[in-house]
């Protein structure tokens, strides 16, 4: 038996996507402070099991201190990381602007669609409609709670 056989199967080579994610995280760790990096990692884990993985939207849960850390720049970094984790193709962060439910909304889109105004407008309307639906659902649940004698 030669030496390679006695050591068992070789570890699989990291995929190109995994390597890009690893490199980006390494670079990011040099550019941002540890509390911000820790928040990004927690949010990325949370997002990785959320409906956002399948193209849906998801509201992140953060306490007031975390919300203060979650600057627009950190939001963009989270989107880049999420894209590296979930997408086979190159994605870029695009600012969709303000909507009634989101100020400075940013999304991750395929690189070839980032300058397509029709695509971005449809995306903006879809995201805004989903946010409006979540808000209406929240209000309805609170009304039911109040009618049931519970504190919403």
């Amino acid at each position: 038996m030669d030496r390679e056989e006695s050591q068992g199967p070789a570890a699989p080579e990291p995929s190109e996507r995994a390597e890009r994610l690893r490199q980006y995280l390494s670079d990011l760790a040099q550019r941002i402070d540890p509390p911000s990096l820790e928040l990004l990692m927690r949010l990325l884990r949370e997002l990785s099991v959320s409906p956002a993985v399948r193209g849906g939207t998801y509201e992140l849960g953060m306490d007031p201190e975390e919300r203060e850390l979650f600057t627009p720049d950190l939001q963009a970094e989270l989107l880049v990381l999420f894209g590296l984790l979930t997408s086979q193709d190159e994605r870029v962060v695009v600012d969709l602007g303000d909507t009634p439910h989101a100020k400075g909304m940013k999304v991750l889109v395929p690189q070839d669609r980032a300058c397509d105004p029709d695509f971005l407008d449809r995306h903006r309307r879809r995201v805004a409609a989903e946010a409006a639906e979540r808000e209406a659902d929240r209000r309805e649940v609170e009304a039911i709670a109040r009618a049931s004698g519970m504190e919403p």
Side-chain angles (χ1 to χ4, degrees):
M1 180 185 297
D2 68 23
R3 190 172 173 189
E4 283 184 17
E5 288 175 348
S6 68
Q7 293 178 349
E13 290 292 319
S15 70
E16 182 181 327
R17 184 171 57 174
E19 183 55 30
R20 282 193 338 243
L21 179 60
R22 187 200 63 72
Q23 183 61 48
Y24 195 86
L25 284 171
S26 176
D27 294 345
L28 190 60
Q30 302 302 313
R31 292 187 283 125
I32 66 173
D33 60 285
S36 294
L37 185 61
E38 186 177 316
L39 174 62
L40 278 179
M41 293 299 94
R42 183 185 69 75
L43 294 175
L44 189 60
R45 282 189 299 274
E46 188 177 318
L47 273 174
S48 69
V49 295
S50 76
V53 171
R54 294 175 298 285
T57 57
Y58 182 73
E59 190 170 326
L60 298 166
M62 290 183 277
D63 63 33
E65 288 177 8
E66 290 173 327
R67 284 187 196 279
E68 192 172 315
L69 277 177
F70 200 53
T71 64
D73 288 342
L74 209 60
Q75 292 169 33
E77 293 293 358
L78 180 60
L79 285 172
V80 169
L81 289 169
F82 188 67
L84 288 170
L85 182 66
T86 63
S87 180
Q88 296 289 1
D89 59 348
E90 244 353 92
R91 300 280 172 139
V92 294
V93 176
V94 175
D95 189 338
L96 291 180
D98 295 342
T99 69
H101 299 283
K103 185 168 183 66
M105 183 188 330
K106 291 177 177 39
V107 294
L108 200 60
V109 299
Q111 195 166 17
D112 63 336
R113 304 301 295 272
C115 294
D116 179 343
D118 293 333
F119 172 79
L120 295 176
D121 190 51
R122 285 191 309 273
H123 200 75
R124 183 182 298 108
R125 285 193 312 259
R126 181 186 63 81
V127 171
E130 289 173 357
E133 185 177 335
R134 279 193 313 276
E135 179 62 22
D137 290 347
R138 184 190 62 74
R139 285 193 307 267
E140 185 174 342
V141 168
E142 286 178 356
I144 291 169
R146 279 192 294 280
S148 301
M150 294 187 283
E151 184 109 7

